Amino acid sequence: MSRKVFVSGVGMIPFAKPGASASYDQMGAAAARLALSDAGIAYDDIQQAYAGYVYGDSTSGQKAVYQLGMSGIPIVNVNNNCSTGSTALFLARQAIASGAADCVLALGFEQMSPGALGSVFKDRPTPFDAFDAITDELVGMPEIPLALRYFGGAGQSHMKKYGTKLETFAKIRAKASRHAANNPLALFRQVVTADDVMNAPMIWPGVMTRLMACPPTCGAAAAVLVSERFAREKGLDTRVHIAAQAMTTDRPGTFESGDMMRVVGFDMAREAAAKVYEESGIGPDELDVVELHDCFAQNELITYEALGLCPEGGAEKFVEDGDNSYGGKVVTNPSGGLLSKGHPLGATGLAQCYELTHQLRGTAETRQVQGARVGLQHNLGLGGACVVTMYRAG
């Protein structure tokens, strides 16, 4: 029987530009210490640790966690592209829910380089061969970096299918900046308008401006998950628990559909969300706050539909009506999201956990979504996985 899993502690350090941060191990250790302090426990209480990062050598997790102590526990290194942080969270939750452990640390960190993401290993096939081939077929534009072609192509697909305007993506980016202005841990806190976004350098004419893409970022975040028994024995915080969680990977339709929205994970997100709604008994209309994977403004828009926050084809109206922000239907990315908070790949999923935990505790200060009781997290890794997590207060 699956056991209830509580988020008893969370920690996050301010995100920074490449070259302006501490080293990955120092960042990871700092975030973990904050999570332990927030939970009110010592490192010796941790029974397992899952450390997520994308750009780093094997056992970088040990390098970070050993700064907390060397207690001989299992430390598992996790790499699942941009969904790495939530994959670490997924594994930590499984360990608690299955009874394998009672107190587990999930940690994510990333020390990134400036510029567009690229392949590290040049002497072997890339895991993205099939994604690149279908993107070449559907999009072309080989002069544009691949990540932009993937997600810009998805946005272009939505524009062609539903008549979505470029200005709608600009409004999403402007919303992100307004939210991030209240987040002291976000990388970019300057408010920009939709006009500012539209007037930014055009990196794909008619499809994307520079401000519609998230920046490479360095940072770290962590969470301490515990069982109900352990929480009761230690007197730990049980205000927030994980009500449901699902991880999905690609199906044949990713490559057979001829649709860039599906290439970048629309189906994975929709399937994971459906599983979480069924397991939790909570539907999308009952959500108060959502942290979703807005690596590009285009991906935020299509994810509204994948998660069922609005009907398919209804995302532009969802944005125009202000249903994605305070005073609307569901507040999306109160943290500022990847677009403004930043996207250190391994840390992103745990930074989302950090934000939602504070929202459901009622401790998010000026970002607080009033009366928030139910939160949803969506973290996507192209070519890797999509993880959707439902949190509840109480």
Side-chain angles (χ1 to χ4, degrees), residues 113-176:
S113 300
L117 300 181
S119 177
V120 174
F121 300 102
K122 307 295 186 182
D123 61 343
R124 65 204 69 183
T126 168
F128 300 105
D129 277 344
F131 293 89
D132 296 350
I134 190 66
T135 301
D136 286 341
E137 177 186 336
L138 297 177
V139 173
M141 306 296 288
E143 68 277 13
I144 295 176
L146 270 167
L148 276 63
R149 294 169 69 204
Y150 295 146
F151 291 98
Q156 186 182 52
S157 175
H158 200 280
M159 295 167 83
K160 290 178 178 178
K161 191 172 184 179
Y162 300 113
T164 310
K165 299 182 290 294
L166 186 61
E167 290 81 1
T168 305
F169 302 121
K171 290 178 180 178
I172 289 172
R173 175 62 177 87
K175 180 267 298 177

Side-chain angles (χ1 to χ4, degrees), residues 16 71 79 88 101 110 127 152 178 187 213 227 285 292 302 321 362 364 386 391:
S71 57
N79 181 344
E110 207 72 62
R178 294 194 299 273
L187 176 56
S227 68
D285 291 339
L292 59 80
I302 68 174
D321 290 349
C386 180
Y391 300 84

Side-chain angles (χ1 to χ4, degrees), residues 6 28 44-45 50 56 118 141 158 177 214 250 317 356 372:
F6 293 92
D44 286 346
D45 290 312
Y50 295 87
M141 306 296 288
H158 200 280
S177 75
C214 74
D250 291 290
K317 184 177 187 300
L356 290 173

Side-chain angles (χ1 to χ4, degrees), residues 67 76 169 183 206 239 280 307 379:
Q67 296 186 37
V76 180
F169 302 121
N183 186 357
R239 285 177 288 176
S280 66
L307 298 180
N379 188 203

Side-chain angles (χ1 to χ4, degrees), residues 34-390:
L34 290 170
L36 291 169
S37 176
D38 186 50
I41 62 172
Y43 175 67
D44 286 346
D45 290 312
I46 299 294
Q47 298 165 355
Q48 294 183 11
Y50 295 87
Y53 57 93
V54 175
Y55 294 107
D57 287 330
S58 182
T59 67
S60 290
Q62 278 85 336
K63 173 72 170 173
V65 175
Y66 281 0
Q67 296 186 37
L68 309 175
M70 299 177 70
S71 57
I73 64 167
I75 299 173
V76 180
N77 292 269
V78 181
N79 181 344
N80 230 3
N81 206 4
C82 300
S83 62
T84 290
S86 61
T87 300
L89 184 73
F90 180 86
L91 293 169
R93 180 201 58 81
Q94 280 194 329
I96 301 291
S98 68
D102 285 299
C103 182
V104 179
L105 173 68
L107 170 64
F109 51 80
E110 207 72 62
Q111 184 176 343
M112 296 188 71
S113 300
L117 300 181
S119 177
V120 174
F121 300 102
K122 307 295 186 182
D123 61 343
R124 65 204 69 183
T126 168
F128 300 105
D129 277 344
F131 293 89
D132 296 350
I134 190 66
T135 301
D136 286 341
E137 177 186 336
L138 297 177
V139 173
M141 306 296 288
E143 68 277 13
I144 295 176
L146 270 167
L148 276 63
R149 294 169 69 204
Y150 295 146
F151 291 98
Q156 186 182 52
S157 175
H158 200 280
M159 295 167 83
K160 290 178 178 178
K161 191 172 184 179
Y162 300 113
T164 310
K165 299 182 290 294
L166 186 61
E167 290 81 1
T168 305
F169 302 121
K171 290 178 180 178
I172 289 172
R173 175 62 177 87
K175 180 267 298 177
S177 75
R178 294 194 299 273
H179 291 184
N182 293 318
N183 186 357
L185 301 179
L187 176 56
F188 294 131
R189 300 186 63 196
Q190 180 179 351
V191 174
V192 297
T193 66
D195 285 343
D196 293 331
V197 180
M198 289 296 293
N199 291 328
M202 191 72 70
I203 52 180
W204 185 344
V207 176
M208 185 184 296
T209 71
R210 182 176 294 167
L211 286 179
M212 294 176 187
C214 74
T217 316
C218 302
V224 173
L225 305 187
V226 299
S227 68
E228 189 168 18
R229 180 188 66 80
F230 188 88
R232 184 172 59 250
E233 289 179 356
K234 295 283 188 176
L236 304 185
D237 194 322
T238 57
R239 285 177 288 176
V240 178
H241 70 274
I242 296 176
Q245 190 176 48
M247 177 189 288
T248 53
T249 55
D250 291 290
R251 294 184 182 272
T254 296
F255 306 112
E256 296 172 356
S257 65
D259 185 346
M260 284 302 298
M261 288 192 291
R262 298 177 71 180
V263 172
V264 302
F266 184 93
D267 289 351
M268 287 197 296
R270 180 169 54 188
E271 182 180 353
K275 290 180 177 179
V276 163
Y277 295 144
E278 181 178 3
E279 181 183 342
S280 66
I282 300 169
D285 291 339
E286 300 172 81
L287 300 174
D288 299 309
V289 56
V290 172
E291 282 280 311
L292 59 80
H293 197 89
D294 60 324
C295 51
F296 294 83
Q298 286 77 0
N299 201 54
E300 174 158 343
L301 182 136
I302 68 174
T303 302
Y304 295 153
E305 298 177 9
L307 298 180
L309 306 184
C310 63
E312 290 190 31
E316 184 164 74
K317 184 177 187 300
F318 187 74
V319 174
E320 294 290 346
D321 290 349
D323 280 334
N324 60 351
S325 189
Y326 297 87
K329 189 175 180 181
V330 55
V331 181
T332 59
N333 293 333
S335 67
L338 287 60
L339 287 166
S340 288
K341 180 181 62 191
H343 182 25
L345 276 61
T348 288
L350 286 155
Q352 292 175 322
C353 174
Y354 174 92
E355 179 67 25
L356 290 173
T357 298
H358 278 293
Q359 289 288 346
L360 299 188
R361 286 178 179 174
T363 54
E365 299 180 337
T366 53
R367 302 185 311 283
Q368 184 63 50
V369 177
Q370 294 304 313
R373 303 288 296 171
V374 182
L376 191 75
Q377 172 187 345
H378 161 270
N379 188 203
L380 173 76
L382 182 76
C386 180
V387 183
V388 173
T389 308
M390 178 81 75

